[in-house]
Amino acid sequence: MKGLLLLAKAAIAFVWFILILNFFMPFPGKAAIALYIMTAFLFMMHGLQMLIFIGAFGDKISMSRWEKWSILIFGVFALLDIRKKHMM
């Protein structure tokens, strides 16, 4: 399970790399616009996950600053790590 989580986090990190790279070196044509929309959507969804999780469990478990930011970066895969660390 840990290996699959690492692989999933690496895949998400690669996606973020491509999305951020698009800001500095835009892809040609309509691909850049699609990637801007995907960046906004991914950021909003992971931000929503972070706010919901911290709102629901922030006072019950003590999370490090990195764990909070990792939810924003890795989404549900970070939540699985946090669950394994704090709740099992």
Side-chain angles (χ1 to χ4, degrees), residues 1 7 10 15 20 22 24 28 41 46 56 66 72 75 77 81 85:
M1 179 75 166
L7 184 63
V15 168
I20 292 171
N22 185 51
F24 300 105
F41 183 75
H46 285 186
W66 165 247
L72 185 63
F77 302 116
D81 266 348
K85 180 178 177 184

Side-chain angles (χ1 to χ4, degrees), residues 9 46 65-75 78 82:
K9 284 183 175 183
H46 285 186
R65 177 177 258 168
W66 165 247
E67 286 174 331
K68 292 176 184 176
W69 281 101
S70 71
I71 298 171
L72 185 63
I73 298 168
F74 300 114
I82 292 169

Side-chain angles (χ1 to χ4, degrees), residues 53-84:
F53 188 80
I54 291 172
F57 298 108
D59 57 340
K60 295 172 182 67
I61 60 174
S62 62
M63 292 187 293
S64 68
R65 177 177 258 168
W66 165 247
E67 286 174 331
K68 292 176 184 176
W69 281 101
S70 71
I71 298 171
L72 185 63
I73 298 168
F74 300 114
V76 70
F77 302 116
L79 291 175
L80 290 171
D81 266 348
I82 292 169
R83 183 188 75 163
K84 191 169 96 176

Side-chain angles (χ1 to χ4, degrees), residues 16-46:
W16 274 114
F17 172 74
I18 295 298
L19 294 175
I20 292 171
L21 180 67
N22 185 51
F23 281 112
F24 300 105
M25 296 182 346
F27 288 91
K30 296 187 185 218
I33 295 169
L35 289 174
Y36 293 143
I37 293 169
M38 287 182 212
T39 302
F41 183 75
L42 187 64
F43 185 76
M44 286 188 311
M45 289 297 106
H46 285 186

